[in-house]
């Protein structure tokens, strides 16, 4: 009786055409259990939408596909974890002999093993890693030195290519190295400047880091002129380069910035007695 009371046709609200009920899709919310728009009009509207902006439609489809793949991957991983816990809920570490839950939170994933988990727990692996870290670094440094001595051109080319391919990383490494070895970096800068000046004037001699350390020990860490403690120092020429001096060890002393600026390009005989420390 209920089927006989249903109408046999329905008017589409889009094309305003009377059509049989089978021309409308089923729905729970529509009148008489059918959509208000017929199948043909819905199909035409979908085709027009796809043709209006194909790029946007393709991006939407790709996004939906990526989301579906991520959901499937998460489901597979969840199923694997559940199956692993059901088959092997507890695993014994072969090093510390402690029974731990058989999941990636306690054991590293290793596809070569039957349980797909490593034989050692993460705590044991971390302990061995930090215990042997210095030995690994030393071994790497020795191998690098041997390779540099055997084929220096290849090492130089590898470093040049690495700097060209990763400039941001190279700048970050150099910045960290300067911050860690700030005093050594400043000393190298002073040495480069003084050697460049001497080379331009053809005065001879060369300053090295070892020479600066020897001068620091000889002067007991004090300024040559005012005898103050050298926290920051300059490399001073007893006979200035501008007046025929050189970079030879007997013409070099360490002075504080104040004394070096006061002395300038003067000879020692031209300085007042108050310039030198008494006693």
């Amino acid at each position: 009786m209920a089927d006989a009371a249903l109408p046999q046709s329905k008017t589409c609200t889009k094309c305003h055409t009377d059509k049989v009920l089978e021309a409308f899709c089923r729905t729970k919310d529509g009148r008489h259990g059918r959509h208000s728009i017929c199948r043909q009009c819905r199909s035409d509207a979908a085709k027009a939408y796809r043709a209006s902006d194909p790029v946007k439609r393709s991006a939407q489809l790709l996004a939906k596909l990526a989301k579906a793949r991520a959901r499937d991957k998460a489901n597979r991983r969840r199923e694997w974890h559940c199956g692993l816990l059901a088959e092997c809920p507890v695993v014994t570490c072969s090093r510390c002999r402690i029974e731990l839950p058989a999941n990636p939170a306690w054991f590293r994933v290793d596809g070569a093993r039957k349980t797909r988990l490593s034989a050692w727990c993460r705590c044991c692996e971390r302990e061995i890693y930090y215990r042997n870290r210095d030995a690994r670094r030393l071994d790497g440094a020795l191998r690098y030195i041997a390779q540099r001595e055997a084929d220096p051109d290849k090492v130089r080319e590898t470093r040049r290519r690495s700097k060209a391919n990763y400039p941001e990383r190279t700048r970050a490494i150099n910045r960290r190295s300067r911050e860690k070895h700030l005093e050594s970096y400043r000393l190298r800068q002073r040495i480069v400047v003084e050697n460049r000046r001497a080379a331009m004037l053809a005065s001879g001699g060369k300053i090295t880091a070892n020479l600066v350390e020897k001068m620091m020990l000889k002067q007991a860490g004090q300024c040559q002129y005012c005898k103050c403690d050298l926290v920051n120092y300059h490399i001073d020429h007893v006979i200035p380069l501008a007046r025929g001096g050189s970079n030879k060890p007997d013409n070099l002393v360490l002075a504080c910035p104040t004394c070096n600026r006061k002395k300038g390009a003067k000879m020692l005989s031209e300085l007042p007695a108050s310039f030198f420390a008494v006693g």
Side-chain angles (χ1 to χ4, degrees), residues 23 37 45 59 77 141-142 168 183 212 241 269 273:
I37 302 175
R77 182 178 298 177
L142 294 177
E168 294 294 336
E183 291 300 326
V212 175
L241 292 177
S269 58

Side-chain angles (χ1 to χ4, degrees), residues 68-104:
R69 287 178 177 175
R71 185 171 58 251
D72 293 342
K73 184 177 180 180
N75 291 335
R76 288 195 301 270
R77 182 178 298 177
R78 190 180 301 108
E79 292 175 0
W80 177 77
H81 284 173
C82 294
L84 181 63
L85 291 175
E87 296 175 1
C88 187
V90 176
V91 173
T92 302
C93 174
S94 60
R95 182 173 180 272
C96 61
R97 300 298 178 182
I98 298 178
E99 293 186 351
L100 298 170
N103 58 59

